[in-house]
Amino acid sequence: MTKRRFFVLGLVYLLSANLCFTQSLVVADSVRVSLPELFVWADTACVTMRLSASAVCAANEGVLQARSQLFPRVGVSVSGSYIGDAVLMDRNFSARGTTTVILPGVGAQSVDNGLQPTPHWGNSFVFEVSQVIFTGGALKAGVELAKLNERIAELDMAKNRQEIRFVLVGYYLDLVRLANRRRVVAQHLAQTAQVLQLMRARESEGVALVNDLIRYELKYKQLQLSDVQLSEAENIIGHQLQTLLHRPDCVLLPDTQALRATFTTFDASLP
């Protein structure tokens, strides 16, 4: 009898130590959010959605670029130059004497070697316009291909949005389920505490047995342990939700009132 009592008391002590260690963890600030708010946060903060939005923007740019191939191309260029002094030399690279030069329409003439009078400044202005006349339908096919890529990017974005929302709904409903279970456990804890107080009073008066008192104490500690396990499960799911939404600075809790109002509206809309 004594050994059994010591064993039960030791088990109760271990459960109490586990509870104290778990409850010593720091709890961050909590924010209650509804499902529509989670959806909005996911569309703006989720990495997958941002990548999908970038892919859609790139596909839109591809369509614009493909369409630009159908329009005329206009090019304008302006340039300026400076030409230095020209030096005329003979075959021996001498700048002295004269050199016979044959000029078109004039004939052979003797020109003095050395510096020659030449124009120094030069400029050019080019205006070019081009238009594709025939490519065998390649440009139109390129536009259609770009539109298909744009449509595929939009469908991928919609698919990713639906998948993320399904995950968010699962996390959200898990948090609601765990909160309801913790509420039930809290009620059982309150009732067990009242019974335990009554059993202690009866045990002090010699009406109840010590085994009955130990049994209720063990049940109370088991309920406390269940509450801690449910709390840890909430923390795990909440951390996954924070990671998905990139909200590490706060604990996201479900808005049960908004969820209940949604269900009430849905039930009222049924025939």
Side-chain angles (χ1 to χ4, degrees):
M1 182 67 182
T2 305
K3 293 182 179 180
R4 182 180 178 183
R5 182 177 181 181
F6 285 157
F7 173 75
V8 174
L9 291 177
L11 182 59
V12 170
Y13 174 77
L14 292 176
L15 293 176
S16 302
N18 189 12
L19 292 173
C20 295
F21 174 76
T22 307
Q23 293 177 354
S24 63
L25 298 177
V26 178
V27 179
D29 295 335
S30 59
V31 177
R32 292 194 175 275
V33 293
S34 60
L35 271 177
E37 292 176 346
L38 288 182
F39 293 161
V40 173
W41 287 356
D43 292 339
T44 57
C46 185
V47 176
T48 304
M49 293 305 302
R50 286 187 291 180
L51 292 176
S52 299
S54 299
V56 172
C57 292
N60 294 334
E61 293 295 333
V63 173
L64 295 178
Q65 184 177 3
R67 287 178 176 175
S68 65
Q69 302 296 325
L70 300 174
F71 303 119
R73 295 184 179 182
V74 179
V76 178
S77 63
V78 179
S79 63
S81 62
Y82 176 81
I83 303 175
D85 296 332
V87 179
L88 181 62
M89 294 180 291
D90 58 12
R91 295 180 178 179
N92 297 323
F93 300 100
S94 176
R96 298 179 181 180
T98 59
T99 301
T100 301
V101 179
I102 299 176
L103 299 177
V106 177
Q109 289 187 356
S110 297
V111 180
D112 295 334
N113 296 333
L115 295 176
Q116 303 296 321
T118 56
H120 297 290
W121 294 100
N123 58 73
S124 64
F125 178 80
V126 179
F127 182 81
E128 181 181 3
V129 179
S130 62
Q131 172 66 47
V132 178
I133 303 301
F134 178 75
T135 59
L139 295 181
K140 292 184 178 179
V143 173
E144 294 299 327
L145 180 60
K147 289 182 179 179
L148 289 177
N149 292 331
E150 181 184 21
R151 182 58 179 167
I152 290 174
E154 292 175 352
L155 291 176
D156 287 339
M157 184 175 180
K159 179 180 70 67
N160 293 332
R161 180 183 290 112
Q162 292 299 326
E163 290 178 352
I164 292 174
R165 288 187 176 184
F166 277 126
V167 174
L168 289 176
V169 170
Y171 288 158
Y172 196 85
L173 295 180
D174 285 340
L175 290 177
V176 173
R177 175 178 58 84
L178 292 173
N180 292 334
R181 290 184 62 182
R182 288 194 65 186
R183 190 179 300 109
V184 173
V185 170
Q187 294 176 359
H188 288 177
L189 279 172
Q191 295 175 1
T192 305
Q194 294 178 358
V195 175
L196 186 60
Q197 184 178 4
L198 180 61
M199 291 297 298
R200 287 173 179 171
R202 291 181 177 180
E203 193 271 339
S204 61
E205 294 176 359
V207 179
L209 298 177
V210 178
N211 290 340
D212 296 334
L213 178 62
I214 294 176
R215 184 172 65 253
Y216 279 101
E217 287 179 351
L218 182 59
K219 181 180 179 181
Y220 186 78
K221 293 302 179 181
Q222 288 176 346
L223 289 174
Q224 284 185 328
L225 180 60
S226 299
D227 183 70
V228 171
Q229 291 175 346
L230 294 174
S231 177
E232 292 298 327
E234 283 184 338
N235 293 334
I236 293 173
I237 296 177
H239 179 70
Q240 293 175 349
L241 195 60
Q242 293 172 6
T243 304
L244 182 61
L245 298 177
H246 291 273
R247 297 273 179 169
D249 54 343
C250 61
V251 177
L252 303 177
L253 299 178
D255 190 353
T256 55
Q257 294 181 355
L259 186 63
R260 190 179 299 108
T262 302
F263 287 151
T264 303
T265 305
F266 178 76
D267 293 337
S269 63
L270 295 177

